[in-house]
Amino acid sequence: MSAQFLQFLLAGLTVGAIYALVALGFSIIYNASHVINFAQGEFVMVGGMCTVWLANAGWPLPAAVAAAVLLAALLGLALERLAVEPARGASVVTLIIITIGASILLRGLASVVWDKKFHALKPFSGEAPLHIGGATLLPQSLWVLGVTLAIVVLLSWFFGRTLLGKALLATSHNRLAAQLVGISVRRVLLTAYGLSAALGGVAGILIAPITFTSWDVGVMLGLKGFAAAILGGMGSGPGAVLGGLALGIIEAMGAGYLSSAYKDALAFVIILAVLFFMPGGLLGARRTERV
């Protein structure tokens, strides 16, 4: 394995882990409510911008991170409570348009509350690169990969071992049946939106020390997270992780061996290719019954 190939691979895995977190947020909400939440990218922006703002105000980094994730989660709850819930019973297209409107609103508020400049967050554990087989890896990349792995493990435990996680899975399979056995669908939907927003916030915090964050950074990250969810199979948690990593590696290899000018376009090419030739994604979208 050449040093150049290894360098591109490590870079792809790092950014792919971020896409995986965003894609997991898409999948959680899609499973719970059959809605594609295009405000997901704005939660990424809120996580990064809020952490930078609080850190610059003198907050310790752990406290700034916790507050930013909490703010993202509260915004997710507010989105479900104030925008999605009042439109219950509307068509899926209407609900998607509502999430797009929420995305625009959040970007506008961010530009007013913070600013329209680019900001960088200080790396969590230094900037001295690590050398692996002729390639270099930033310590922040290890944070990205490690935290993403920990979140995947925690989500597996949550959905497999807790009553609330199992209730969310049951609701995704059949909402009416879940209601008949006493599951509070209202609580499940709030949990899904809050959890997905928190995941987005974590992704924004992790990527901020590597790339700049700004009021509109969530647009592209949200679209790429959506592409990763489509690639892995919308509604599939493992598919979201696989799709995110695959998209990150494809982007890195394309930018390295072809041209960086095509990096952002690759995500949209993948969406079209998957929709045309493999609608179920890599792992196949799980069929759920909408009631």
Side-chain angles (χ1 to χ4, degrees):
M1 183 183 296
S2 69
Q4 185 182 51
F5 178 85
L6 181 59
Q7 184 68 64
F8 296 152
L9 179 62
L10 292 174
L13 288 174
T14 300
V15 70
I18 297 298
Y19 296 161
L21 290 178
V22 181
L24 279 170
F26 274 104
S27 294
I28 289 172
I29 289 182
Y30 178 80
N31 278 338
S33 61
H34 301 273
V35 173
I36 299 174
N37 176 28
F38 282 108
Q40 186 65 27
E42 309 320 315
F43 301 136
V44 179
M45 174 272 295
V46 167
M49 288 292 287
C50 184
T51 302
V52 169
W53 181 60
L54 293 175
N56 290 339
W59 284 43
L61 184 59
V65 167
V69 174
L70 178 60
L71 175 61
L74 290 175
L75 288 174
L77 296 176
L79 173 62
E80 199 283 331
R81 179 71 174 179
L82 302 178
V84 176
E85 171 62 19
R88 183 176 54 182
S91 67
V92 173
V93 174
T94 299
L95 292 173
I96 290 175
I97 292 174
I98 288 173
T99 66
I100 294 174
S103 172
I104 297 171
L105 174 62
L106 287 174
R107 284 201 303 277
L109 289 175
S111 68
V112 173
V113 173
W114 294 305
D115 54 42
K116 293 188 177 182
K117 299 178 181 178
F118 290 95
H119 299 274
L121 183 65
K122 187 176 180 181
F124 296 172
S125 54
E127 301 181 57
L130 306 173
H131 299 279
I132 304 174
T136 59
L137 183 68
L138 294 175
Q140 187 64 30
S141 295
L142 294 179
W143 278 97
V144 172
L145 296 172
V147 172
T148 300
L149 178 61
I151 287 176
V152 170
V153 172
L154 286 174
L155 285 177
S156 298
W157 171 82
F158 173 72
F159 286 113
R161 299 290 183 179
T162 67
L163 288 177
L164 185 55
K166 292 179 179 180
L168 202 154
L169 287 177
T171 303
S172 71
H173 281 285
N174 191 308
R175 182 179 297 186
L176 178 59
Q179 289 176 319
L180 291 175
V181 297
I183 293 175
S184 172
V185 173
R186 184 84 183 82
R187 182 184 177 193
V188 165
L189 291 177
L190 282 172
T191 300
Y193 276 83
L195 181 58
S196 67
L199 289 176
V202 171
I205 295 167
L206 291 174
I207 199 66
I210 299 176
T211 62
F212 291 111
T213 187
S214 67
W215 68 284
D216 62 348
V217 72
V219 176
M220 191 57 67
L221 285 174
L223 288 174
K224 291 183 178 180
F226 175 62
I230 291 292
L231 177 60
M234 183 61 77
S236 170
V241 176
L242 179 60
L245 295 177
L247 178 59
I249 293 172
I250 291 170
E251 272 195 1
M253 296 298 175
Y257 289 114
L258 297 176
S259 171
S260 59
Y262 302 120
K263 181 174 72 71
D264 291 335
L266 287 173
F268 304 106
V269 171
I270 287 174
I271 290 177
L272 291 175
V274 171
L275 290 177
F276 274 111
F277 302 109
M278 195 170 49
L282 293 174
L283 298 186
R286 181 171 48 77
R287 293 182 177 274
T288 59
E289 180 183 350
R290 185 165 186 238
V291 178

